Every structure is written in structure tokens, then in C-alpha cells.
Amino acid sequence: MSGRARLTLFALLATLLTAWSLVPLVESAGWLLQAALLLGVQSAVGAGARRVPLARSLTVAAQLLVSLLLLAFLFGGKAGSPGSGPVAYLVTDFGALFQQGVQDVGEYAIPAPLTDGIRLLLVSGVLLIGLLVDMLAVTVRTAAAAGLPLLALYSVAAGLAGGGEASWISFLLAGCGYLMMLLAEGRDRLAQWGRVFAAGPRERGPSSSGLSATGAHATAPVRTGRRIGVVALGLALVVPAALPALGGGMLGAQGDGEGGGSGVGGTISAVNPLVSLQSSLNAQDNRVVLKYRTDSPQQSEQYLRILALDEFNGVKWEASGRALADVPARLPTPPGLSEQVRGTAVEVSTSLSAADSFTQRYLPMPYPATAVDIGGKWRFEPVGRTLVGDQLGKGRFQNVQGAQYRVRSLLLRPTAEQLQNAPEPNPAVRAEYTKLPELPPVVAETARKVTQGAKDDYTRAVKLQDFFAVTGGFRYDTKTASGTGPDAVARFLADKEGFCVHFAFSMAAMSRTLGIPARVAVGFTPGEKQSDGTVNVSMRDAHAWPELYFEGVGWTRFEPTPRAGISVPDYTRPRAPAAQPSAPAPLPSQSGAAQPSAAPSQSQDCPPEQKKLGECGGPALTQDAASGGGGPSLTAVLGWTAAALVVLGVPLLPLLWRTRVRKRRLAAGGVTEAWLELGDAAWDVGIAPDEALSPRRAAFRVVQMGRLEADAAAAVHRITAALERTLYAPAGTGVSYPGLAEDVLAARAGLLAPVGRGTRLRALLLPRSAVRVAWAVSARWSGVASVVSARLAAVRLRLPLRGRG
């Protein structure tokens, strides 16, 4: 292996060892193998370009182009952005996935799930660092400077991971990779000066100046460099352990990004605890994060609430800063709950178990909880009635990971009459929970239009819920961008598609425009009941819903999201008609076994929950049919065809060029062109040209090294004789003969016959003689540069000389 090839390999290895520090950031390390394969292709392209050789800039450009193509074809189409054709596939969709990855990084806690967006960021980041390391260490030949991108990669990983035992292993791997790359580069440099001899056998006695006692041999430079590297690495590992810890700093531990405090009087900071609802709903690994068992008679009402977002600051909904207190043995009475509603409630008990991969700092609980039995350090936020993990140490907080706990809660059963006759809310509650930034006028106008004719807040709330869930023509789509801000509600009302975040945020904002206190709750839907009586809550059960305040009942859940598996609360359903059918009607099938009727029902009294699921026929079927699409468009087919032709054509460019050159040379009928084609045919199978040989000696060399048969060898000798006559015959003598082209083709076939399949394929697809293209481009560039330099020199000579004398 040559010195440059060895250096390329060690640069690749140094990048991969440093990339190992990113492994703790995500739950799966499968992306690292993918990055290693792409990095190997990128390094191979660089090695091939340097062997041609290409200019340094062209080498880096080729590596970058191949890397971008590999990333685009590997990740294109995963973001599901609108558009068709290769441009949307390679650019629009690729960019959307990159943006989604940035959003996932900001929303997920470490270790984050390996979404497609995060995988793209990790793989592309490693490829970029690998390109910089390869360029600095191998192309530019400054391996020491290649440590800067490696340091940047390790610093980002260490800063995000927050230290730990794994950081020592990561640092050791990264340091060893960098040292091996330096040693490979130093060995390559020394090899360019000649063979490096090691020192002779050691002899006892004093030595000085790096010489042995006999003064015969110097200490080997490679061995000295190795010792220096090992000592430096050891100091880097030992010194930080001996020095006192330094807190803070840009990369210092900052907690989990959720704020908080410890002790009495601490506060919980304003945060965005959505826990990436969109990514959870679209997650490919629908893993179970919670399991519970409850004695509630209505398991469909067992929502697990994490936190309430009660402040809309014009950019996003978030939890306002609240004071924390110790967790009491019995939680206080929920705000706004009257004794009349409290008397009809049932207290239920729920035992929950969290998965080891679930690192949420807020404790999921049924609402409203009355008592919580859990180990660890937790704090209570009375206004939102949530439990928050307390600080355990520097940068560490209590979370729900692997916890087993028990919650007692109230199953409230308010009636529509109680909500409809609710008195005016407390002025302080109304003032705080109806605050709004300046919104587009269409938001308030739509709220007033939808609730027109309603005489109380309850009726307005139900009309808003039905507008989103049933009558408004909205469509549930988890691929919609989860934007927030004043204009996001207006965009959602215009586009009429989104997922739970859009529906909950929009209904809460529109309720506030009507003077109804509102906030947004974040948590999980009831989950799926198992055969053993337990209930599994998975990532795709993540949900957001609006909570509206009614005096006497308190914070009340509404359900505007038209999503399968979600039930609207009983108190928002229309009253059953007085007349009952003679035979009980079958309940709607939850398994989808019931078949729709032949004619779509046009009845207006279809239950809202069935309309939400599209089980009443008519509009739901029409909408599905309209959104199904009719197959790829002609533009998409043509675009994909063009992209496929480009992908297939690029590897065939050397073959096409070589075929075209061969035809042009043979069609010319000249002996010189035939001899040049014979030499290139031999070069393609591994017989490099030797310009120092005479034509006859060169012909014997081709026959011998090519192991040509008698007919092919005779054809080579006839071409050689014709070339000698061309070189030495008098001017005007005809030296060509009719079978010249056939002899060249026969000699080429004879050269290809004895070689192996791999050599034959390379001679056809990647001919060595194609380097003439690079030579021609280099010569053309040199000629242009010479002309430009000459003209610039002439201009300088014509300029008047000033200041002389």
C-alpha cells in the first residue's frame, strides 16, 4: 500500500472514531454503519481522483458531488413534501427533511429517537467532517490541521451529551484516531526522503543529543513521535481528572433545557414541552412509552396529561413561569370545581410504569390528580397541577425514565346543563387566560361566524369543536408543518389540514377571542387495552387538546381533532332523541369490520364521532377519493426518466468517450492514429506505454506482456512495419494498407482475451487511457494561462513609468 493510500485510510478511520462520540445522542447506532459506507465511497473517490491525477480543487469537487448525490438518493422522498419530478425529489424534499431534522434536534431530549431528519443530520455532518479531514490530511498534505474539524465534531458531541463515562471512551477513540493519522502522515513524509532505518541494538552507557553510546545511530523519528503522542494523550486524560471541575461555559452542562429550580420558592421556566408531537405521530418505531392499569369505569376518558400551555406570546404556546412547591400528600382541590360536580365524580386509581427510553421530566398523570405515590425528587406546580422533576445535581434532573408510580384522580362527569348554566368565570381567571397577541382579523371573524346564534360559552365551545371536527371540512394530516405564531392560525383556517397541534392551538386561540378562558394540554390519549387488562401507550398516542374553563367545573377537555381512535367527551355530544327504536342499533365497530352501506347517508343527525371518522358516507368518501390521486403525472414520469438516464449515463461516460475516439482514429485511416490506438488498447489492459522504446521494441513488449496469439501478434507486427515505413520512408510514399483498422481491432481483441473478467470490465468501463482527457484539459488550461500572462505582461510594459529620475 502506498503512503498516500495509507494516509487516506487512516484519515477515514480518524473521522469514524471521532464520530463515535455522537452515538450517545440517539437511541440507535445504526446510522454510524451507514455513514461509514458513504464515507468509504467518498474517500475512494478522492483516492481515485488523486491517482489520475486531478487538480486539488477538482478532487474536492468530485468528492463533494458524489457525497451530495449519495445523500440525495438515500434520503430523498422521506420528508413527503409536495411536488413531483427529480427537482422536488433531490432538492425540495431533501431540504424539507434537513429542516425537519433541525426541528427534531430542538425538540427531542437525549437520547433522541433516530428519525429520518436526525439521521440525515448525523450522516451528512460526518461526511462533511470526513471531506475536510481528507482534504487537509491527504489532498493538501497538512495532517496536523485536520485535527481542527475532528475537534469541532468531538466538541459538538461532548457539549450535547453532557459528559459521563462514555465521554472518556469517545475522547480516547478520537485521540487515537488523530494520532494514527499523524503517524501515517509522518511516515509518508519520511519515506519520500528515502528508507527510514531504525536504531541499532542498544548498548549500555551514557548517551546525549539523541545518539547511542557508540554514536552510530540516531533515535528513530517515528518512534519518538509515537512516544510524544502517547504522552500527550495520557496528559489530556489525566490532567482534567486531577483539576477541579469548571462550571458553566458555552459547552457546560445546562440541564435538560427545561428550566426549573430546586428548593422552596423555585420556579419552572417557560418551555415548549410538546416533545415533538409531529415526529412522534410519524415515528416508524411506534414503541411503548407507558403502561398502566386502572379501575376507571371509562377507560376512554383516561387521558394522561403532561403539561398545560397557558401563554400565547405571539410566537408559540408555552407554559408560563410558575412557582414550585413540595408535593403534598393530598393535592389541593382543582380550581373552579364546585361541590355539586365534585359529588358526582368518581375517584379512580391508576398504576403506571414508564419505559426506560422515556426521559420526560414532566410526570404524565390523569387529570385532575388528587394524590401521587412516586419515588425520587419531584416538585409540584399548583396552577397547572403538574409534577416536575427536581434537580439531582449539576446538569441532572429527575425524570420519569423507568419509574413506577400510582396516581389517584377524579373522573369528572359534568353534564351539558351544568356547563351551559355555568356562572361567569372568576375575573382574574378570565383576565389571565384570554390574553392574546395581535392576530389576523380572520381568526376572530371566523370564531364569531361559527358561533353565531349561541347564547352561552358552552354552546360556543361545542360549535367551535364541531367546526373543526365535523362541519368545517378540515383534514387530519401529520405531514403538515407544525408552525406557530399569529399567522399560523390564519394559515390553518385557510389550508384546513393539520394534526392535533393545529386543531388545539387554533381552537384555544379562537376561544380566547370570544372571551372564553382557554389553554392547551399536552400528553397522551388513553392508549390501547391489552388482553391482560393493562393498557399500552405508544409514541403515536401523543396528543394535544384544548382545555376551556367553566366556573363550577374547572378546566374542561374538548376534542376538535378529527382523528381515528379519539372520542369526544360525553358532555359535548348532542342529546339522544326521545323516541327509541324498537330494537337496539348496533354500536359502531371499533375494528373496522362493519361495511359501509351501498348508498352514502345524507342524514344530518349522524353522531359527530362517526362523522369525524368518515363513517357516515358522502363527504368523507368523496374527500378520500379526491385525495387519493390518479397515479404519477406525465411530468413526474419524464423527470424520473431523465434522472435515471443521467444516473446510468454518468458511469458510462468513459466507455462512450473511448468508443468515440477509437472510431474516429480508425476512420481516419492513418498509420499514426492506428499506432496510437494500439498503444491505448494495451494501456487499458495494464500495459503502460514506454516512450523510450523504438516502435519495434514496443511491439515486442506488447506481444510478450499481452500474451498475444499468432494472429493477433502478426497484426501488431504489420502495424509496426507500417509505422516504421511512415517514419523512415521518403515523403509521398503510401504506407497505409486496406486491413489496417481490422488489424487494430484484432490486436485489441487479442489483448482482452487472456485477462480476467475484472480487468476486462475495467478496460471497457474505466479505461486507463481516459487520463488523456485530464491531460488535454490541463494543457488547454496552461495554454490559456500562458496567453493571459503574456497579455498582462505586454500591458504592463506599455504603461508609462512614473517617478523616474
Side-chain angles (χ1 to χ4, degrees):
M1 182 183 294
S2 65
R4 179 165 288 191
R6 185 183 299 108
L7 184 56
T8 302
L9 180 61
F10 278 101
L12 167 65
L13 185 60
T15 304
L16 288 179
L17 291 178
T18 307
W20 180 263
S21 58
L22 297 172
V23 170
L25 302 182
V26 291
E27 296 177 350
S28 173
W31 65 271
L32 190 59
L33 177 60
Q34 197 173 47
L37 295 176
L38 298 185
L39 196 60
V41 175
Q42 178 180 273
S43 300
V45 170
R50 285 186 289 265
R51 184 165 184 146
V52 168
L54 293 179
R56 292 177 176 179
S57 58
L58 293 179
T59 299
V60 177
Q63 291 178 282
L64 181 61
L65 178 61
V66 171
S67 301
L68 290 176
L69 289 175
L70 290 175
L71 286 174
F73 283 105
L74 187 63
F75 290 96
K78 293 184 178 294
S81 62
S84 59
V87 175
Y89 179 73
L90 299 178
V91 180
T92 307
D93 205 51
F94 188 66
L97 186 62
F98 190 88
Q99 185 178 3
Q100 180 181 332
V102 174
Q103 181 181 351
D104 291 345
V105 169
E107 291 177 344
Y108 275 117
I110 296 175
L114 190 59
T115 64
D116 290 329
I118 294 179
R119 184 192 298 268
L120 171 62
L121 292 182
L122 291 173
V123 174
S124 59
V126 171
L127 282 181
L128 177 60
I129 297 299
L131 178 61
L132 294 176
V133 172
D134 186 86
M135 179 186 69
L136 294 174
V138 188
T139 304
V140 186
R141 306 302 296 274
T142 55
L148 294 177
L150 294 176
L151 177 62
L153 179 62
Y154 175 77
S155 299
V156 170
L160 293 175
E165 296 181 358
S167 63
W168 294 98
I169 301 176
S170 300
F171 177 78
L172 185 62
L173 291 176
C176 289
Y178 179 57
L179 289 179
M180 287 189 296
M181 183 178 63
L182 289 180
L183 292 176
E185 195 259 354
R187 182 175 180 180
D188 184 41
R189 286 185 180 273
L190 290 176
Q192 295 178 9
W193 290 89
R195 183 177 178 185
V196 180
F197 293 92
R202 295 185 178 181
E203 299 182 9
R204 297 184 181 273
S207 61
S208 61
S209 304
L211 299 177
S212 65
T214 61
H217 297 284
T219 304
V222 173
R223 184 177 301 172
T224 302
R226 187 182 300 115
R227 292 172 179 172
I228 294 174
V230 171
V231 172
L233 183 61
L235 290 176
L237 290 171
V238 174
V239 171
L243 294 177
L246 301 177
M250 182 178 65
L251 296 179
Q254 302 293 338
D256 58 359
E258 295 175 349
S262 58
V264 178
T267 61
I268 176 173
S269 305
V271 296
N272 183 6
L274 295 181
V275 201
S276 186
L277 282 174
Q278 185 174 23
S279 299
S280 300
L281 294 172
N282 291 322
Q284 297 179 358
D285 55 335
N286 189 26
R287 64 187 183 280
V288 175
V289 294
L290 288 168
K291 290 186 177 183
Y292 69 88
R293 188 186 296 271
T294 182
D295 58 4
S296 173
Q298 289 181 274
Q299 192 261 330
S300 61
E301 297 294 324
Q302 193 79 353
Y303 278 59
L304 299 179
R305 186 172 170 277
I306 295 177
L307 190 62
L309 313 179
D310 54 8
E311 185 176 295
F312 187 25
N313 58 12
V315 178
K316 60 184 178 180
W317 285 85
E318 58 186 9
S320 56
R322 301 291 185 182
L324 299 179
D326 293 331
V327 181
R330 186 78 178 177
L331 302 185
T333 303
L337 182 62
S338 66
E339 288 298 329
Q340 180 183 3
V341 178
R342 175 68 175 84
T344 60
V346 178
E347 190 172 55
V348 299
S349 176
T350 305
S351 300
L352 301 100
S353 175
D356 292 334
S357 60
F358 188 46
T359 57
Q360 175 61 246
R361 188 181 162 198
Y362 299 89
L363 190 67
M365 301 184 300
Y367 181 86
T370 58
V372 183
D373 182 13
I374 186 173
K377 297 181 64 177
W378 295 88
R379 307 283 289 164
F380 178 60
E381 195 273 284
V383 177
R385 299 183 65 84
T386 58
L387 262 64
V388 188
D390 201 0
Q391 188 168 5
L392 300 177
K394 183 180 176 64
R396 297 189 304 114
F397 292 85
Q398 178 72 54
N399 61 49
V400 74
Q401 182 179 18
Q404 296 184 356
Y405 56 103
R406 186 183 185 88
V407 180
R408 299 194 66 83
S409 60
L410 295 177
L411 177 60
L412 299 178
R413 296 173 175 176
T415 63
E417 289 78 6
Q418 290 173 332
L419 293 168
Q420 191 171 13
N421 299 324
E424 290 292 322
N426 186 297
V429 174
R430 183 188 290 274
E432 180 177 0
Y433 294 100
T434 56
K435 293 179 182 179
L436 278 174
E438 185 177 354
L439 297 175
V442 67
V443 179
E445 293 173 0
T446 304
R448 288 193 299 269
K449 182 179 178 181
V450 170
T451 60
Q452 187 177 6
K455 298 181 179 180
D456 56 82
D457 287 347
Y458 164 76
T459 306
R460 297 185 184 97
V462 172
K463 284 193 173 186
L464 281 178
Q465 174 182 273
D466 292 343
F467 169 68
F468 288 110
V470 182
T471 63
F474 289 85
R475 189 171 66 90
Y476 183 80
D477 184 5
T478 59
K479 300 296 184 180
T480 307
S482 56
T484 57
D487 295 331
V489 178
R491 287 196 303 269
F492 173 60
L493 293 176
D495 298 339
K496 292 193 174 185
E497 62 178 16
F499 59 104
C500 56
V501 169
H502 299 88
F503 291 96
F505 285 6
S506 299
M507 181 172 174
M510 294 173 71
S511 298
R512 288 193 175 191
T513 64
L514 299 173
I516 306 175
R519 64 188 185 186
V520 176
V522 178
F524 296 97
T525 54
E528 183 178 355
K529 193 169 184 177
Q530 306 299 304
S531 58
D532 60 353
T534 62
V535 182
N536 289 350
V537 178
S538 63
M539 291 292 292
R540 294 180 187 173
D541 292 319
H543 190 48
W545 62 91
E547 290 182 342
L548 277 58
Y549 183 85
F550 293 90
E551 195 66 40
V553 180
W555 290 104
T556 308
R557 177 177 69 90
F558 284 79
E559 194 53 79
T561 304
R563 170 181 160 191
I566 295 180
S567 61
V568 297
D570 292 336
Y571 46 80
T572 66
R573 295 175 179 172
R575 299 180 184 178
Q580 298 294 333
S582 57
L587 295 176
S589 173
Q590 299 298 325
S591 62
Q595 298 297 326
S597 60
S601 172
Q602 301 296 332
S603 175
Q604 298 298 324
D605 57 353
C606 179
E609 60 270 22
Q610 294 188 28
K611 284 187 179 181
K612 288 171 59 177
L613 301 180
E615 296 178 356
C616 297
L621 297 177
T622 303
Q623 183 181 7
D624 293 342
S627 61
S633 62
L634 178 60
T635 305
V637 173
L638 293 178
W640 280 105
T641 303
L645 292 177
V646 171
V647 173
L648 295 176
V650 169
L652 297 178
L653 287 179
L655 171 63
L656 298 176
W657 173 84
R658 189 71 182 84
T659 303
R660 180 176 176 273
V661 170
R662 183 183 306 112
K663 290 182 178 179
R664 189 179 69 249
R665 288 172 175 173
L666 298 182
V671 177
T672 304
E673 290 81 359
W675 176 259
L676 186 60
E677 176 59 31
L678 176 62
D680 285 351
W683 192 4
D684 291 340
V685 297
I687 305 174
D690 190 349
E691 301 295 340
L693 299 178
S694 64
R696 185 168 298 183
R697 293 290 301 274
F700 279 113
R701 179 171 175 264
V702 170
V703 171
Q704 182 179 8
M705 297 183 64
R707 293 170 293 174
L708 297 182
E709 299 292 338
D711 294 339
V716 171
H717 290 308
R718 285 195 295 270
I719 299 171
T720 306
L723 178 65
E724 289 178 339
R725 290 195 300 272
T726 300
L727 296 176
Y728 307 117
T733 304
V735 295
S736 183
Y737 58 95
L740 181 62
E742 288 75 7
D743 283 347
V744 173
L745 295 177
R748 179 174 177 272
L751 289 169
L752 292 174
V755 299
R757 180 179 301 176
T759 304
R760 189 180 301 112
L761 287 176
R762 175 172 178 177
L764 295 175
L765 299 177
L766 294 174
R768 293 176 173 85
S769 60
V771 73
R772 295 186 184 276
V773 177
W775 291 350
V777 172
S778 179
R780 182 66 60 86
W781 174 257
S782 299
V784 172
S786 300
V787 172
V788 173
S789 299
R791 293 185 177 180
L792 291 177
V795 171
R796 285 197 298 269
L797 291 176
R798 288 196 296 268
L799 291 176
L801 299 177
R802 298 180 179 179
R804 180 176 295 180

